[in-house]
Amino acid sequence: MVKGKKGPKGKKITLKVAKNCIKITFDGKKRLDLSKMGITTFPKCILRLSDVDELDLSRNLIRKIPDSISKFQNLRWLDLHSNYIDKLPESIGQMTSLLYLNVSNNRLTSNGLPVELKQLKNIRTVNLGLNHLDSVPTTLGALKELHEVGLHDNLLNNIPMSISKLPKLKKLNIKRNPFPKPDESEMFIDSIRRLENLYLVEEKDLCAACLRKCQNARDKLNRIKNMATTTPRKTIFPNLISPNSTAKDSWEDWRIRSTSS
């Protein structure tokens, strides 16, 4: 930047503009979509629209998220990916209705993740990929409803075992991190993979016909696995989507899947 010149002002968001950006999603939720608008600072006027269910501020130029974002008490879905954010506010822990949080492709460091994240007891999807994290906060291990975690493209040397013990974790993306030994990350992934073979209910709660059907399906899968032992191993969790600035414009499928499951 040339000395004496200010940075880009960005687009000014007024309350009227924000109201016109509210959409009704396929599942009947109110979504405030302010993505790709060249916004440089968090627009305070949108705090007057705190009854929305979803907020999309992705692909902008925002550097700071204020503590006042906690006024969105009904928010289930928050997308902040592809900005310049280096720290999340402590007040984010008060947004206990959140099911989905995407802060990938920012400038977050490990110190920029507040311990208050552990208060998001209902959250199912967290994407922290494409940042500058050199460690994973153990507080993530307290989020027992987590189904999907994105930690790809960071500076991680290890993953806390508390994450592998999350009871509902199905998908974990830890690609492109400088793990010292590939075997260690593979062992960790294996511990997550075993979750896919567990019953979602106890056997005693199934009727005889349902239990027999589940057992037959499991036996069939085991036979297929035994037949495929000589084939190259594929990526275990290829479906954890990692939206960033080069991603396609519509993430409707992911949003619906993450919030309705």
Side-chain angles (χ1 to χ4, degrees), residues 43-160:
K44 294 181 180 179
C45 66
I46 67 173
L47 296 175
R48 298 174 64 179
L49 304 173
S50 58
D51 62 331
V52 298
D53 302 290
E54 304 181 1
L55 176 59
D56 189 350
L57 287 167
S58 65
R59 289 174 265 193
N60 280 298
L61 306 169
I62 299 172
R63 296 180 179 276
K64 182 178 180 181
I65 301 299
D67 285 317
S68 56
I69 196 173
S70 62
K71 291 185 178 180
F72 289 91
Q73 284 296 300
N74 297 328
L75 210 62
R76 293 158 43 95
W77 193 86
L78 177 59
D79 195 343
L80 301 170
H81 84 263
S82 302
N83 278 285
Y84 296 101
I85 302 165
D86 59 8
K87 184 179 181 181
L88 293 178
E90 296 177 357
S91 64
I92 199 169
Q94 300 172 27
M95 303 171 69
T96 53
S97 295
L98 270 184
L99 300 178
Y100 169 101
L101 174 63
N102 186 2
V103 287
S104 66
N105 198 22
N106 275 284
R107 296 179 177 179
L108 288 169
T109 63
S110 299
N111 291 333
L113 298 178
V115 296
E116 286 76 10
L117 283 174
K118 67 181 180 181
Q119 298 172 19
L120 303 179
K121 299 298 185 181
N122 297 309
I123 200 157
R124 298 178 184 179
T125 299
V126 174
N127 195 341
L128 297 167
L130 287 162
N131 278 290
H132 306 297
L133 306 179
D134 56 14
S135 63
V136 181
T138 56
T139 52
L140 287 184
L143 305 179
K144 303 303 183 184
E145 295 297 318
L146 268 179
H147 287 62
E148 303 183 17
V149 178
L151 293 168
H152 58 93
D153 298 282
N154 276 289
L155 305 172
L156 303 175
N157 290 310
N158 59 75
I159 305 290

